[in-house]
Amino acid sequence: MAELPDKRTAFIDWYLAVVEAARLTDKRYPVKGMNIWTPYGFRARRNLDAVLVREIEATGSEALEFPALIPANEFAKEKEHIKGFDAQVYWVTKGGLSDLDIPLVLRPTSETAIYPIFAVWVRSHRDLPLNVYQIVNVFRYETKTTRPFVRVREIHFFEEHTCQANEEHATERVRSNLEAFRKMAAAFVLPYLPIRRPEWDKFPGAFYSIAFDAPVGGARTLQLGSVHHYRENFSRPYGIRYEAADGSQQYVHQTTFGLSERLLGAIVAVHGDAKGAVFPTAIAPYQVVVIPIPGTESGEGPLKVASEAAERLRRHGARIHLDGGDERPGAKYYRWEAAGVPLRLEVGRREAESRTLTAADRLGRKGPVALDRLEHEVGERLAEFDRALAERAHAAFAASFAVARSLAELAGSTQVRLVAWCGSEACGHQIEAAIDGALLGTPEAPLPIDPGATGACIACGATDGARWALAGQPL
RNA sequence: GGGACUGUGGGGUAGCUUGGUCCAUCCUUCGGGGUUCGGGACUCCGAGACGCCAGUUCAAAUCUGGCCAGUCCCA
């Protein structure tokens, strides 16, 4: 079996090889940017979605689902939004053999599908807040190279859409989303930084956008998701108004919160190593794989003990796989390590006789597990694995940032850079050119390193209004 | 939108410059047999490909054109 490419020097090749070796998708579907979710990959996706659902519903949001097709005239109502998505929509222009009177857009995101209906639903201040989300597929005609999970044309999309009584409440909703994402990211063991995007890079039609960026090696970053404050930018064109307590008519202020399977890509990119993927237990398709080692003369002992252990753990609620195939044990170890399974339990003659299994976690720690205390000890080892994974990820996170004091210093960056920025678009673009990437924006949370005093804008030298911003190379 | 490059079994490849030695190489994968069995076993048998359509030629994986698909660079 071939070695994986080196993660540090050939990141993209490594990433593609890991996705392939872990068997998360099948990329052979003959439409660009549309991958097949294999049973194993689908399990990961389902676990991921479960976390999203749990955390968003904890904030009082309700699931619903809108249709996938949007009439062209509704799609065109908000000018900035259209400009932003025009070039990447798929059109449905025919029904059977005849042309449609009104062409339909296959949703690239669902504002324009949902908001005409919000206008009907929202009548009174008593209808507010309206917090709903859906998990659906959206379609974007990406022109750049597509990559599994990270840049696809059929996106598995989580989108929350809300209506609030006023700007303050909408700001409050944004905060609540940031907090919900903090909990989601904890389950994924993904360190990230919430960053307010610069004006020219906010969501088309938004008042402002806050994105979650994770460093994934070198100066590269991956946007994990985003939260947007729309103010009245959509409620005006779509006529989403309510009658306030004082009898006046008011436009709602809206927010959205978007996430996708990119999170899975980030989990692979951040945690993966030279052996393949590494899944945190919350997402792992299988949390434990049990491998019986029959041996030549050990009889049925190992097999019986292995299935007993698997059955008990399954009843206990663990996601478990018993690998009873007739490959040699070593081949199975490699396979499940590449697949990112957190914990492996080995059952050979020795284990069967002593009723003590051998556990090996994906980070390389090994030790005995008494069959008597199986559920408890496996639970502890999984928790310990998550802790160690978090520690490793946070160490890498902290090491991913460095201050740059001049534009020249940005060239060839091997870290995400903190730069002093005056806030002007012209300077922003100079910074982007210097790092051959993007000015990600200004942090919305404490920085992972202490950069000291801001000083002067790295591009124009102005000291007035200069603040810390982040620059990197988005994947 | 402009340009460059690339398409060979399920995956990765050799062959292409200079057409014939190719009913296409090697690794992997898959099916079957035997020996094995605590970190990717060995061996034997078998399966599986020249992106599509035209053209040039006695002869095309190889040359030409168009199409399709993909990759990279520039806007």
Side-chain angles (χ1 to χ4, degrees), chain A residues 9 11 28 35 64 66 82-83 92 120 125 139 168 172 263 273 277 282 309 311 323 376 409 416 425 437 460:
Chain A
T9 57
F11 179 80
R28 291 171 296 188
N35 297 318
L64 51 54
F66 270 73
I82 292 313
K83 246 199 298 176
V92 175
V120 178
H125 64 281
F139 296 83
E168 240 168 68
E172 202 42 53
L263 285 163
D273 58 24
E311 191 44 45
D323 188 352
H376 177 74
E409 222 181 306
V416 178
E425 179 160 354
C460 69

Side-chain angles (χ1 to χ4, degrees), chain A residues 4 14-26 38-42 44 149 268 272 275-279 285-286 334-341 362:
Chain A
L4 295 172
W14 169 86
Y15 175 79
L16 295 171
V18 169
V19 170
E20 170 116 23
R23 306 184 188 203
L24 292 167
T25 67
D26 194 320
T38 60
Y40 190 72
F42 196 80
F149 308 134
V268 170
K275 289 176 168 179
V278 181
F279 282 109
Y286 300 125
Y334 278 92
R335 152 122 7 115
W336 293 113
E337 280 165 359
V341 176
R362 181 59 179 75

Side-chain angles (χ1 to χ4, degrees), chain A residues 325-347:
Chain A
D326 56 9
E327 283 173 305
R328 297 156 73 92
K332 293 179 185 175
Y333 299 167
Y334 278 92
R335 152 122 7 115
W336 293 113
E337 280 165 359
V341 176
L343 191 70
R344 173 176 82 230
L345 291 176
E346 305 167 12
V347 193

Side-chain angles (χ1 to χ4, degrees), chain A residues 296-456:
Chain A
T296 326
E297 288 149 23
S298 43
E300 293 189 339
L303 214 64
K304 275 176 74 174
V305 172
S307 28
E308 179 196 335
E311 191 44 45
R312 274 173 53 190
L313 289 169
R314 193 171 286 130
R315 268 203 303 271
H316 194 62
R319 294 190 292 275
I320 190 143
H321 180 72
L322 174 65
D323 188 352
D326 56 9
E327 283 173 305
R328 297 156 73 92
K332 293 179 185 175
Y333 299 167
Y334 278 92
R335 152 122 7 115
W336 293 113
E337 280 165 359
V341 176
L343 191 70
R344 173 176 82 230
L345 291 176
E346 305 167 12
V347 193
R349 183 176 51 81
R350 293 198 296 267
E351 285 82 0
E353 284 170 0
S354 64
R355 295 191 57 82
T356 301
L357 313 190
T358 299
D361 78 16
R362 181 59 179 75
L363 296 177
R365 276 137 350 150
K366 280 185 111 159
V369 168
L371 200 52
D372 288 347
R373 295 162 39 81
L374 178 71
E375 292 84 348
H376 177 74
E377 293 196 13
V378 163
E380 285 208 325
R381 283 189 175 270
L382 287 175
E384 181 53 35
F385 164 81
D386 274 343
R387 269 196 294 278
L389 190 65
E391 201 173 298
R392 181 165 95 164
H394 280 96
F397 179 71
S400 316
F401 298 90
V403 174
R405 296 277 174 197
S406 70
L407 286 179
E409 222 181 306
L410 288 175
S413 284
T414 54
Q415 283 159 302
V416 178
R417 296 304 200 135
L418 277 158
V419 297
W421 173 48
C422 68
S424 83
E425 179 160 354
C427 289
H429 291 319
Q430 276 190 54
I431 293 166
E432 298 190 322
I435 197 170
D436 190 24
L439 185 73
L440 301 169
T442 51
E444 284 284 320
L447 290 164
I449 60 173
D450 177 12
T454 320

Side-chain angles (χ1 to χ4, degrees), chain A residues 34 88 90 106-108 137-141 153-155:
Chain A
M34 299 190 182
Q88 31 178 318
Y90 284 94
L106 197 46
R107 61 181 166 213
N137 287 5
V138 301
F139 296 83
R140 295 179 191 174
Y141 188 77
R153 284 178 166 180
E154 180 175 17
I155 304 168

Side-chain angles (χ1 to χ4, degrees), chain A residues 215-234:
Chain A
V216 289
R220 284 181 294 266
T221 60
L222 190 53
Q223 177 175 320
L224 304 178
S226 50
V227 176
H228 313 285
H229 194 310
Y230 289 169
R231 255 186 183 167
E232 300 175 349
N233 293 351
F234 284 86

Side-chain angles (χ1 to χ4, degrees), chain A residues 15 25 50 53 121 124 129 147 153 187 342 398 426:
Chain A
Y15 175 79
T25 67
V53 167
W121 285 354
S124 144
R147 309 196 185 292
R153 284 178 166 180

